Amino acid sequence: MEKIKILIIEDEEAIADLLAYGLNKAGFETKIALNGADGVNAVQSFKPNLLLLDWMLPDTTGIEVCKKITASHNIPMIMITAKSDITDKIVGLEFGADDYITKPFDLREVIARIRTILRRVDQANKPAEEPSESILRFKNIEIIKSERIVKKNNEIIELTPKEFDLLITLYSYRGKIFSRSELLDFVWGYDYFGDTRTVDIHIQRLRKKLDVNDLIVTVFGVGYKFEKQVDKAHVPND
């Protein structure tokens, strides 16, 4: 059985070595890149299942690396940052990171977060149980659940694993109002370490990418819902 691959893009060798040591002991296969350029190249050669990406790198920023990778790959990503400012963390999430960890960190927490993200991705990748519902359509959007593909006007829209899971959850329960905590439970899992602001960021990204402000609506003081009247615009699958 192949080991899960974790790419560590971190310029502080002591921290990178510590992460690699702990992750290897936990059963993962790791590779270290000490700068952004090597990290981007390693994505092609190493083909990781998940990235640990430092915020500050000697040749660029973690945000720039994040943008380059998410433009052509759909890989779960955890940002590692020495910054405690919530605004910086939000920026990382907005550009495609799935989670963030602040230095100094506990290695056990890093491993727990990695396993949580990988578990959610694995669950989301399981084949659809109902073939008749494997393709969903509304407005100019088509969702191919079995392939985890979303198209807008017949063009593929790149969504992160969490964005896809969030979209499917909201669409599957059209009309239901979810609190942010409920969405964290549904999409991220009960053992997620982040806060509810994560939900807001992912909702904003979904709205922007799919232009569905009229369908994914905010219920002030409560949370979010996917408008039920979308059924009227649903195009049957011939």
Side-chain angles (χ1 to χ4, degrees):
M1 182 176 180
E2 289 188 6
K3 290 184 178 181
I4 292 172
K5 298 179 179 180
I6 309 293
L7 174 60
I8 303 164
I9 307 178
E10 165 64 65
D11 66 310
E12 293 187 51
E13 292 190 48
I15 293 177
D17 289 341
L18 173 65
L19 286 167
Y21 174 77
L23 292 173
N24 290 338
K25 284 195 66 176
F28 299 104
E29 180 180 348
T30 62
K31 182 177 181 62
I32 294 172
L34 298 176
N35 59 61
D38 288 347
V40 172
N41 291 333
V43 170
Q44 299 289 347
S45 58
F46 187 56
K47 302 187 185 305
N49 301 101
L50 184 140
L51 302 180
L52 289 176
L53 174 60
D54 189 25
W55 179 277
M56 295 301 297
L57 296 164
D59 57 338
T60 184
T61 66
I63 292 299
E64 288 302 315
V65 174
C66 181
K67 288 162 64 176
K68 287 180 181 178
I69 293 173
T70 55
S72 56
H73 297 81
N74 192 12
I75 304 172
M77 191 178 308
I78 299 176
M79 296 288 293
I80 302 173
T81 174
K83 298 174 178 286
S84 58
D85 189 338
I86 187 65
T87 302
D88 293 324
K89 296 172 182 177
I90 289 169
V91 169
L93 293 171
E94 286 177 339
F95 280 105
D98 293 272
D99 198 358
Y100 57 81
I101 294 172
T102 303
K103 298 177 184 176
F105 51 76
D106 187 315
L107 192 55
R108 292 170 298 181
E109 180 183 349
V110 177
I111 293 171
R113 292 198 189 202
I114 288 172
R115 284 178 170 158
T116 295
I117 290 175
L118 293 173
R119 183 165 60 249
R120 299 300 297 179
V121 170
D122 182 64
Q123 290 173 350
N125 280 330
K126 290 181 179 178
E129 295 181 1
E130 301 179 26
S132 62
E133 288 294 312
S134 64
I135 298 180
L136 308 172
R137 294 185 177 91
F138 55 88
K139 292 182 66 176
N140 57 345
I141 306 296
E142 181 180 76
I143 305 171
I144 306 173
K145 291 173 65 177
S146 59
E147 300 178 44
R148 295 180 66 81
I149 290 174
V150 176
K151 294 182 179 180
K152 177 183 174 184
N153 296 325
N154 292 320
E155 293 186 4
I156 292 178
I157 304 298
E158 291 293 338
L159 299 184
T160 67
K162 285 293 178 292
E163 289 169 354
F164 184 89
D165 296 343
L166 182 58
L167 176 62
I168 291 297
T169 297
L170 290 169
Y171 184 86
S172 298
Y173 294 90
R174 297 182 293 285
K176 172 180 170 57
I177 300 172
F178 285 94
S179 69
R180 291 168 177 81
S181 295
E182 287 175 328
L183 286 172
L184 282 176
D185 291 343
F186 267 82
V187 179
W188 280 262
Y190 287 93
D191 48 357
Y192 179 67
F193 290 90
D195 56 44
T196 56
R197 176 63 177 160
T198 299
V199 175
D200 298 332
I201 293 165
H202 281 72
I203 290 287
Q204 290 169 14
R205 281 159 42 183
L206 270 181
R207 286 171 171 168
K208 183 177 180 180
K209 289 182 178 182
L210 302 180
D211 190 21
V212 288
N213 287 345
D214 57 328
L215 297 181
I216 301 178
V217 300
T218 302
V219 181
F220 292 101
V222 184
Y224 299 98
K225 72 173 181 177
F226 201 109
E227 287 287 16
K228 201 167 186 178
Q229 62 260 34
V230 69
D231 291 336
K232 297 177 183 178
H234 183 85
V235 179
N237 184 22
D238 295 330

